[in-house]
Amino acid sequence: MKGIVLAGGNGTRLHPLTLVGSKQLAPVYDKPLVYYPLSVLMLAGIDDVLVITRPAEIDLFRRLFGSGSRLGMLIDYAVQEEPRGIADAFRVGADHIKGEDCALVLGDNLFHGAELPAILRRAARKLRGCVLFGHRVTEPRRFGVAETDAKGDLVSIEEKPEHPRSDLAIPGLYFFDDTVTGIARDLRPSARGELEITDVLRVYLAEGRADLVRLGKDITWLDAGTPDSLLDAGRFVQDVRHRQGTNPGCIEEIAMDMGFIGADACYELGAGMSDSPYGQYVMERARAHHRDPAPTAFLEE
């Protein structure tokens, strides 16, 4: 399965912060926001990722991740000249997908939870068309909303409805089979001139090939696209770091846990940032792996 991180858009909800750069490069506690969606793809077992961004920032993302080889990954880059909607990622990334299944994650979404890796890997294994996720929220009108029947099967998808039929919001994470590029290619732009992801999902739903996976209360989802939510995301990561001793979105540690790189390589990555608490954390996790190299629970899943 290939991965795509959509890190384009103008980030107008974060002006003036994003007048001088990409919101996906804004700090969330001790790392750039884009680390969190990339880590979700890694937890799903994906090591071949395309980062789609604006022309002005593509060199910055290349500086941040390089070829991905230091993480045992392949990371490539593509430009979205204008923000043309989420589904435009499948047109921009068509050559990257090349007839394989793919996962798309939005560059301002953060997911965290002990069960998350197992959920992602099960969803990828059972993919029969598309998988979207549902997370209960208090204000579903702000999001795409999934409606289910009495059996829990998906029956409708609405984009920011005035009168939502459920409280299940659809986060910015989706799995698709290899037909998605053709579906996106044939889409007509919406009244806003964008290629809507909801329209892609509805095609799969009409064909009976769309599955909904509910994310329970133990899974945290944050859309860090506003000043308040960006601050909330930083506070959440800080709280997890201090209370639990773990570091959400630490891509070096995840690369080691997933077997993309070894503990020695992970340690070296941390040593290159040893003046920072983040680098010291990476080094300690590599040392802990040497002490207890047993696979983690999500790798055994």
Side-chain angles (χ1 to χ4, degrees):
M1 178 176 280
K2 299 290 186 72
I4 296 176
V5 177
L6 183 56
N10 292 325
T12 54
R13 294 183 297 169
L14 283 168
H15 280 176
L17 174 64
T18 48
L19 289 175
V20 294
S22 166
K23 68 178 174 181
Q24 290 84 10
L25 296 176
V28 173
Y29 189 54
D30 59 354
K31 63 187 78 67
L33 173 55
V34 71
Y35 272 44
Y36 300 93
L38 176 62
S39 73
V40 171
L41 298 181
M42 296 169 69
L43 289 171
I46 297 170
D47 61 4
D48 190 345
V49 174
L50 179 71
V51 177
I52 298 176
T53 187
R54 300 187 302 184
E57 281 91 31
I58 190 167
D59 288 340
L60 295 177
F61 282 95
R62 282 199 178 103
R63 180 180 176 185
L64 187 62
F65 296 128
S67 67
S69 59
R70 67 185 181 91
L71 298 170
M73 300 176 66
L74 178 62
I75 299 179
D76 204 353
Y77 306 86
V79 166
Q80 187 183 44
E81 297 288 348
E82 299 289 340
R84 292 186 292 263
I86 296 173
D88 187 53
F90 302 116
R91 293 187 178 184
V92 175
D95 289 341
H96 170 71
I97 298 171
K98 290 181 180 176
E100 293 191 35
D101 298 340
C102 69
L104 170 67
V105 63
L106 303 189
D108 58 2
N109 275 223
L110 182 156
F111 298 84
H112 179 71
E115 298 300 317
L116 181 63
I119 292 170
L120 297 176
R121 293 165 75 81
R122 280 197 301 269
R125 287 198 302 268
K126 296 179 180 180
L127 183 66
R128 63 185 186 93
C130 84
V131 171
L132 59 153
F133 298 86
H135 196 282
R136 295 194 181 280
V137 296
T138 56
E139 296 183 71
R141 287 183 298 178
R142 296 174 48 211
F143 307 99
V145 174
E147 179 190 9
T148 60
D149 61 19
K151 297 185 296 183
D153 294 331
L154 184 66
V155 295
S156 75
I157 301 166
E158 296 181 283
E159 182 63 27
K160 298 180 180 178
E162 184 63 28
H163 302 287
R165 298 177 183 177
S166 83
D167 60 356
L168 278 177
I170 302 172
L173 174 65
Y174 319 87
F175 292 176
F176 294 98
D177 70 3
D178 60 354
T179 64
V180 69
T181 52
I183 292 171
R185 184 186 60 236
D186 295 337
L187 280 185
R188 292 184 178 182
S190 67
R192 298 187 300 171
E194 297 184 353
L195 300 177
E196 303 287 356
I197 191 66
T198 304
D199 291 337
V200 174
L201 298 174
R202 284 173 177 156
V203 171
Y204 281 99
L205 181 60
E207 295 175 351
R209 299 193 298 129
D211 294 313
L212 175 72
V213 173
R214 294 172 183 258
L215 301 177
K217 294 180 180 180
D218 59 328
I219 303 296
T220 297
W221 164 52
L222 296 171
D223 175 355
T226 67
D228 284 344
S229 60
L230 187 66
L231 184 60
D232 287 343
R235 287 171 172 164
F236 170 78
V237 175
Q238 180 189 45
D239 188 60
V240 172
R241 180 75 185 90
H242 290 174
R243 290 177 179 268
Q244 300 180 14
T246 59
N247 196 338
C250 180
I251 56 177
E252 294 83 2
E253 179 184 15
I254 294 171
M256 177 180 65
D257 287 342
M258 295 301 300
F260 297 170
I261 61 174
D264 289 342
C266 181
Y267 184 89
E268 289 301 317
L269 292 174
M273 303 177 282
S274 60
D275 287 342
S276 70
Y278 182 86
Q280 293 160 18
Y281 172 85
V282 172
M283 294 166 67
E284 173 53 35
R285 297 315 302 158
R287 286 193 290 263
H289 187 90
H290 270 304
R291 293 193 298 267
D292 181 16
T296 57
F298 63 81
L299 284 177
E300 294 171 347
E301 169 65 27

